[in-house]
């Protein structure tokens, strides 16, 4: 039986079509889910809602922000880690907090280092150390002294969260003494500190600054090595005796490991373009966040450094959660 040249070409074309990887097909081919693993109103949620429409316009596909809160962000992260790696499910979260989870949780249902890969960082917002206005301390030294004489309740946005671990680090380094009161998110922790049920709070500047500006909370310091221009009169914790201390919320986007490099590269390019645009940059800067972008590999390296750094604090403080 003879096969002519035309038949060979048709057969070769069909084989190539079958072998073509999925990412080479039109992407995105359906609405994109932007998973925020925390309740509405926090730093990640604020940024997700700021970038969702510009991202939809850039990709010519709907982008739906979906809050999947629970277990300090691990419920939503697990959902993305186990999703199809087709680029239609994205995770927008505090990458630093995600890096803490493997050290804090004894039973984590996924491995962030293996099951997720970075797309890009978007923004950095330092933690603000704030107190209820009735607290007489006006700086870290006075707060430490007061904590040794009076009972101070420290609002924890979530046990094992980045603000919680940062608060532990401040307590250990400064000699302060406070009682940790856990919440299921930053919004309620802020509300109770404003209401006076708790007296001390560390939380991302993006979500906390409006309440400082309104006078509902009093800021004593920020967890950055250098002062923030937006609140240049507020000293850093490093200036107040905690040498080189720095913490904060590092908002970034991740996808399930196995997502095609071409999709990751496209997302990286579009997201960087969006957060660097004059409109989004201005909105974030005006709320206390700095635009910080990275290549995918850089974000993965950042994650591994943060995981190693905070594992030491977690071990020293004997923090373990199931």
């Amino acid at each position: 039986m003879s096969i002519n040249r035309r038949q060979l070409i048709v057969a070769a074309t069909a084989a190539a079509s079958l072998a073509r990887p999925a990412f080479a097909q039109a992407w995105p081919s359906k609405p994109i889910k932007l998973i925020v693993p925390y309740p509405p109103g926090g730093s990640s949620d604020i940024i997700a809602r700021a970038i969702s429409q510009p991202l939809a316009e850039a990709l010519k596909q709907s982008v739906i922000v979906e809050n999947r809160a629970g277990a300090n962000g691990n419920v939503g992260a697990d959902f993305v880690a186990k999703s199809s790696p087709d680029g239609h499910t994205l995770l927008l979260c505090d990458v630093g907090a995600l890096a803490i989870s493997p050290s804090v949780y004894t039973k984590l249902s996924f491995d962030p280092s293996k099951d997720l890969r970075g797309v890009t960082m978007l923004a950095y917002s330092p933690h603000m150390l704030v107190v209820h206005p009735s607290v007489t301390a006006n700086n870290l030294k006075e707060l430490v002294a007061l904590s040794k004489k009076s009972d101070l309740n420290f609002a924890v946005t979530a046990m094992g969260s980045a603000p919680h671990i940062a608060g532990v680090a401040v307590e250990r380094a400064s000699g302060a003494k406070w009682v940790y009161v856990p919440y299921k998110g930053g919004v309620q922790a802020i509300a109770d500190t404003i209401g006076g049920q708790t007296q001390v709070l560390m939380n991302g500047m993006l979500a906390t600054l409006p309440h400082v500006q309104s006078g509902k909370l009093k800021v004593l310091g920020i967890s950055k090595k250098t002062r923030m221009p937006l609140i240049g009169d507020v000293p850093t914790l490093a200036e107040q005796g905690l040498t080189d201390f720095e913490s904060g919320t590092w908002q970034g986007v991740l996808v399930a490991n196995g997502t095609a490099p071409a999709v990751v590269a496209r997302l990286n390019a579009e997201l960087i373009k969006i957060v660097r645009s004059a409109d989004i940059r201005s909105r974030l800067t005006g709320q206390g966040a700095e635009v910080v972008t990275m290549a995918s590999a850089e974000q993965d390296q950042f994650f591994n450094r943060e995981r190693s750094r905070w594992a030491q604090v977690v071990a020293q403080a004997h923090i373990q959660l199931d």
Side-chain angles (χ1 to χ4, degrees):
M1 177 178 174
S2 62
I3 300 177
N4 61 33
R5 184 170 181 274
R6 180 188 175 106
Q7 288 174 316
L8 283 171
I9 292 173
V10 170
T13 301
S17 177
L18 289 172
R20 185 179 299 128
F23 71 81
Q25 299 174 10
W27 175 88
S29 60
K30 60 183 179 180
I32 289 175
K33 288 184 178 181
L34 186 55
I35 305 298
V36 175
Y38 314 112
S43 299
S44 296
D45 187 67
I46 290 170
I47 293 179
R49 296 183 189 282
I51 68 168
S52 60
Q53 187 55 40
L55 184 60
E57 293 170 359
L59 299 179
K60 296 180 172 53
Q61 187 60 262
S62 299
V63 175
I64 303 165
V65 177
E66 186 175 313
N67 297 88
R68 283 182 174 259
N72 189 27
N74 292 323
V75 169
D78 177 78
F79 175 80
V80 176
K82 294 176 179 175
S83 68
S84 174
D86 57 11
H88 290 95
T89 306
L90 316 180
L91 175 68
L92 196 161
C93 70
D94 180 347
V95 179
L98 186 65
I100 291 171
S101 290
S103 301
V104 171
Y105 289 88
T106 57
K107 300 176 182 177
L108 202 59
S109 59
F110 68 105
D111 185 336
S113 295
K114 296 179 180 179
D115 299 332
L116 294 166
R117 66 170 299 185
V119 174
T120 183
M121 205 70 77
L122 300 174
Y124 163 71
S125 171
H127 290 137
M128 300 186 84
L129 176 62
V130 298
V131 296
H132 185 269
S134 66
V135 174
T136 56
N138 293 304
N139 53 50
L140 178 60
K141 183 178 179 180
E142 292 178 1
L143 181 66
V144 172
L146 182 63
S147 74
K148 295 176 179 179
K149 297 186 297 183
S150 306
D151 291 335
L152 292 180
N153 290 328
F154 186 106
V156 176
T157 57
M159 293 300 288
S161 65
H164 174 208
I165 305 303
V168 170
V170 169
E171 181 185 29
R172 293 177 65 85
S174 68
K177 301 292 181 183
W178 35 60
V179 177
Y180 294 99
V181 179
Y183 290 89
K184 292 184 178 180
V187 174
Q188 191 58 49
I190 290 173
D192 273 16
T193 307
I194 289 173
Q197 288 93 328
T198 51
Q199 294 76 48
V200 187
L201 168 74
M202 279 193 81
N203 195 41
M205 185 171 172
L206 193 63
T208 311
L209 180 61
H211 306 290
V212 171
Q213 293 173 324
S214 67
K216 295 177 180 178
L217 293 171
K218 179 169 61 173
V219 59
L220 304 188
I222 59 169
S223 63
K224 192 172 183 291
K225 292 180 182 178
T226 57
R227 294 194 184 196
M228 293 286 289
L230 186 63
I231 49 170
D233 59 333
V234 178
T236 68
L237 296 177
E239 287 179 82
Q240 299 183 65
L242 305 189
T243 306
D244 294 330
F245 184 83
E246 187 169 40
S247 66
T249 62
W250 296 85
Q251 307 301 330
V253 172
L254 303 95
V255 290
N257 196 17
T259 301
V263 171
V264 174
R266 174 79 187 283
L267 281 168
N268 176 275
E270 297 295 354
L271 287 167
I272 288 176
K273 189 184 302 180
I274 289 168
V275 294
R276 288 181 179 176
S277 68
D279 176 49
I280 299 298
R281 185 188 290 272
S282 176
R283 287 169 65 181
L284 294 180
T285 302
Q287 297 179 76
E290 297 178 339
V291 171
V292 178
T293 59
M294 296 181 185
S296 175
E298 286 181 301
Q299 185 176 334
D300 289 336
Q301 291 165 7
F302 169 89
F303 178 91
N304 290 330
R305 287 196 303 271
E306 287 292 283
R307 181 171 181 168
S308 175
R309 173 193 177 196
W310 291 108
Q312 298 177 37
V313 177
V314 170
Q316 291 169 358
H318 305 291
I319 300 171
Q320 287 284 285
L321 300 174
D322 291 329

